[in-house]
Amino acid sequence: MLYLIGLGLGDAKDITVKGLEIVRRCNRVYLEAYTSILTVGKEALEEFYGRKLILADREEVEQEADNILKDADTNEVAFLVVGDPFGATTHSDLILRATKLGIPYRVIHNASIMNAVGCCGLQGGQPRSSHRQDTWRPESFFDKVEKNRQSGMHTLCLLDIKIKEQSLENLIKGRKIYDPPRYMSVNQAAQQLLEIVQNRREEGEEPAITEDTLCVGLARVGTEDQKIAAGTLQQMCTVDLGGPLHSLIITGGSMHPLEKEMLSLFSISEQP
């Protein structure tokens, strides 16, 4: 049996009782280590679970999935995912591979940023990923965010995470040298959006998203030190939300009175 087990968003104790029972009896336990992170490291998880964990990076999961599935038809193998197992399409691919090999699977769900983001008081909307490179400024996501806003929907931007990434030079030369982990912040995402707004204006457009668009920045959702800040897109460029992981919501064109009242609890202008 292959088990895909969600770990939740906070620390080692966010795993469900059902998930923990399975982890403690499995023959091998993998920890997916590239789509998200917890506030504690692998050692803290091992201590709480009472099991050694095998780190599974992007290369292992996407290119060498057979290693994870090896003997899973006769043994119990657990694949641990921060948040919920279906937060990334990679995990669906693992299930498809297991099915083709005749390996049964079971999913143990948990909280993810997709539902926990409701802590800020906004309801509904569409998720989007926001990426940034040193020499590349993608704008395709902006059109989708703008369309959501014009339709009155909020957009949750899942900010870029880079773990075990190679520089272009090392990639070309085939050197297994990896850059330090990098996590996109609300400040960087807001600055990227403002750059796109300016580019669109220079092209003669007036985008639906401007410096005054109401946004919500969130950091470390589900932990004891989570932070939420509501303010304009311009204000998001300077608000300090601390360490990763960050998310950014661009609000829709209209909001329910209860949503507005909830956001007032997190207004930047009201914070000390």
Side-chain angles (χ1 to χ4, degrees):
M1 177 76 76
L2 170 68
Y3 294 95
L4 287 89
I5 301 174
L7 301 183
L9 295 169
D11 55 30
K13 294 182 179 180
D14 278 0
I15 190 171
T16 64
V17 174
K18 184 182 296 181
L20 182 58
E21 289 174 346
I22 293 171
V23 166
R24 288 177 173 170
R25 72 169 188 253
C26 279
N27 301 93
R28 296 196 310 277
V29 183
Y30 293 89
L31 174 62
E32 192 259 63
Y34 67 91
T35 60
S36 191
I37 59 170
L38 289 176
T39 58
V40 296
K42 170 174 170 281
E43 294 75 16
L45 298 180
E46 290 178 329
E47 181 179 356
F48 185 73
Y49 300 159
R51 291 299 312 277
K52 285 291 183 182
L53 305 181
I54 305 168
L55 282 181
D57 57 28
R58 182 186 297 273
E59 183 177 332
E60 176 83 13
V61 178
E62 294 184 350
Q63 301 177 24
E64 301 176 20
D66 290 344
N67 292 336
I68 297 173
L69 298 174
K70 183 179 179 181
D71 301 328
D73 55 339
T74 56
N75 291 282
E76 292 191 311
V77 177
F79 186 76
L80 310 184
V81 181
V82 175
D84 187 83
F86 288 118
T89 55
T90 300
H91 309 142
S92 297
D93 180 67
L94 189 61
I95 287 176
L96 292 174
R97 288 172 180 265
T99 302
K100 289 177 182 178
L101 293 172
I103 298 170
Y105 72 90
R106 184 179 175 192
V107 178
I108 309 300
H109 293 285
N110 209 322
S112 77
I113 186 62
M114 307 295 265
N115 50 43
V117 71
C119 64
C120 72
L122 296 180
Q123 303 296 316
Q126 295 288 327
R128 297 293 174 196
S129 295
S130 181
H131 303 274
R132 183 185 182 107
Q133 298 280 1
D134 294 333
T135 57
W136 177 51
R137 301 290 188 271
E139 295 192 9
S140 58
F141 78 96
F142 186 87
D143 297 323
K144 297 174 183 177
V145 175
E146 192 172 40
K147 185 176 181 180
N148 283 349
R149 181 168 171 78
Q150 291 169 336
S151 300
M153 294 190 297
H154 311 309
T155 304
L156 168 63
C157 295
L158 304 175
L159 305 188
D160 203 16
I161 299 173
K162 294 191 178 302
I163 299 176
K164 202 176 180 182
E165 297 278 342
Q166 293 174 276
S167 67
L168 182 59
E169 179 182 356
N170 287 329
L171 188 62
I172 292 173
K173 294 183 177 180
R175 297 185 299 204
K176 294 290 185 178
I177 301 174
Y178 302 99
D179 296 333
R182 290 183 293 169
Y183 308 100
M184 193 175 189
S185 69
V186 162
N187 307 138
Q188 292 171 324
Q191 290 163 5
Q192 179 180 355
L193 284 166
L194 288 177
E195 287 175 11
I196 297 173
V197 168
Q198 185 59 38
N199 291 341
R200 297 297 171 91
R201 285 177 177 157
E202 291 175 358
E203 295 170 358
E205 300 179 26
E206 185 52 45
I209 301 167
T210 71
E211 296 85 348
D212 296 324
T213 296
L214 180 61
C215 299
V216 184
L218 305 101
R220 301 173 304 284
V221 172
T223 69
E224 292 184 4
D225 68 338
Q226 76 174 23
K227 283 193 175 182
I228 304 173
T232 66
L233 182 57
Q234 188 69 60
Q235 288 175 313
M236 288 297 150
C237 291
T238 56
V239 65
D240 182 11
L241 296 180
L245 293 170
H246 288 197
S247 300
L248 177 68
I249 299 175
I250 295 95
T251 62
S254 60
M255 288 191 294
H256 189 278
L258 285 178
E259 291 182 303
K260 293 180 180 179
E261 188 173 356
M262 278 293 293
L263 285 190
S264 69
L265 301 177
F266 311 111
S267 173
I268 292 175
S269 61
E270 298 297 326
Q271 295 182 15

